[in-house]
Amino acid sequence: APISFTFSSDSITTGTGKLYIMNSDGSVFQTAAASDLFIHSNNFYYMPNPALVPGNSYYIKIDSGLIKNADGSKVFKGIKDKSLSFTVATKSIYFSEYVEGSGSNKALEIYNNTGHDINLDDYAIGGSYNGSGIQNNLYYFPKGTVLKSGDVYVLANAGADPAILAVTDDTLAYNAGGYVMSFTGNDARVLIRILNNGSDWAWIDAIGEPNNNPGNGWDVAGVAEATKDHTLLRKADVTIGTTDWPTSAGTDATNSQWIVKAKDDFSNL
């Protein structure tokens, strides 16, 4: 999830200096230069890379002069103390199953592990094709959709097997919803949180790497090209999404967050 700030001025820009993500013991976890910040009107956000660790506590320091009014009339004085302290959440909604089977047998399942109901109006799914990066044309959940705590939402290709469609909450034709249900093994998918009335995004979870083309597919749990012609089932001990795909995919069956199932296995949807 991003670190985001909103200012009272009409518009801001970056100046000089840095933003620091500090560990609770006072050591530096991560440093962001002005060029690393995404500016939109009177808001900026920064996506930590590597991601913040769930359950860990941090605080933010900002150099004086890093942010200023667009016209240069005012300069943000910065933050030097621990007034912006926080602890990273340990639960979220996330992809719990991925189906890349024969023909149109494509599906994604999202699980709500937060302990409370989630209105999906603030979320979307983005697609990347052959390492193209996330496209602007997203899939938005039907207006007013609420994902109950402990429940799943299943999205599938409209031409999928009847066994998939029987448990599906929404279906998409090949070219609908940003083509998010028209993937092959080398097409990444990202669960997105919508911010600032749609002007900004935060990635919550990812399957694959949007800016990387692995060839036929990504290896998962030691299985070569497992995102092609397989079903991926998220392990039960996963509690939160991650955009760190190499860690999520793992290198063997023990350290991966996923269980690799056979092609056209829909039994867990």
Side-chain angles (χ1 to χ4, degrees):
I3 293 169
S4 178
F5 288 82
T6 300
F7 293 80
S8 58
S9 60
D10 292 333
S11 186
I12 61 172
T13 188
T14 54
T16 58
K18 295 180 179 180
L19 177 150
Y20 307 89
I21 304 175
M22 310 295 295
N23 293 308
S24 58
D25 63 3
S27 60
V28 177
F29 174 77
Q30 199 166 131
T31 302
S35 59
D36 297 321
L37 307 183
F38 296 88
I39 303 289
H40 181 83
S41 185
N42 65 336
N43 171 271
F44 83 79
Y45 73 94
Y46 168 67
M47 185 69 73
N49 183 23
L52 303 179
V53 179
N56 281 14
S57 295
Y58 304 90
Y59 62 96
I60 302 297
K61 293 174 63 177
I62 300 177
D63 286 338
S64 176
L66 178 64
I67 301 296
K68 58 184 180 180
N69 280 16
D71 62 8
S73 61
K74 294 181 180 179
V75 175
F76 180 53
K77 65 180 181 180
I79 302 171
K80 298 298 184 183
D81 58 18
K82 294 185 178 181
S83 58
L84 287 179
S85 299
F86 60 95
T87 299
V88 180
T90 57
K91 296 180 179 181
S92 73
I93 64 172
Y94 57 85
F95 291 124
S96 49
E97 190 162 352
Y98 162 96
V99 177
E100 204 289 306
S102 59
S104 296
N105 290 338
K106 320 289 184 184
L108 293 170
E109 179 186 87
I110 297 167
Y111 175 57
N112 180 3
N113 186 51
T114 65
H116 55 274
D117 299 347
I118 296 290
N119 188 322
L120 295 179
D121 288 351
D122 296 328
Y123 293 85
I125 298 174
S128 170
Y129 305 91
N130 306 325
S132 64
I134 296 300
Q135 306 300 298
N136 288 328
N137 191 9
L138 306 178
Y139 165 77
Y140 295 94
F141 298 91
K143 190 71 173 176
T145 299
V146 174
L147 182 55
K148 298 288 187 180
S149 177
D151 202 358
V152 297
Y153 186 95
V154 179
L155 178 65
N157 188 296
D161 188 282
I164 295 177
L165 298 181
V167 296
T168 296
D169 295 285
D170 194 14
T171 60
L172 290 176
Y174 172 82
N175 61 348
Y179 290 83
V180 296
M181 281 295 106
S182 304
F183 52 84
T184 57
N186 65 347
D187 300 325
R189 292 296 178 266
V190 174
L191 181 61
I192 294 169
R193 178 74 183 270
I194 306 299
L195 303 171
N196 300 321
N197 297 316
S199 61
D200 295 311
W201 305 346
W203 294 5
I204 303 300
D205 197 17
I207 298 173
E209 296 173 300
N211 297 308
N212 176 37
N213 184 351
N216 290 324
W218 284 275
D219 298 351
V220 181
V223 178
E225 301 177 350
T227 52
K228 176 179 173 60
D229 294 335
H230 289 92
T231 291
L232 303 182
L233 183 65
R234 209 76 174 260
K235 290 181 179 178
D237 60 356
V238 175
T239 62
I240 192 169
T242 179
T243 57
D244 183 352
W245 173 247
T247 297
S248 176
T251 57
D252 56 42
T254 300
N255 63 27
S256 177
Q257 293 188 0
W258 300 88
I259 299 168
V260 180
K261 309 284 280 188
K263 181 179 180 179
D264 290 332
D265 184 339
F266 324 132
S267 59
N268 292 101
L269 282 173

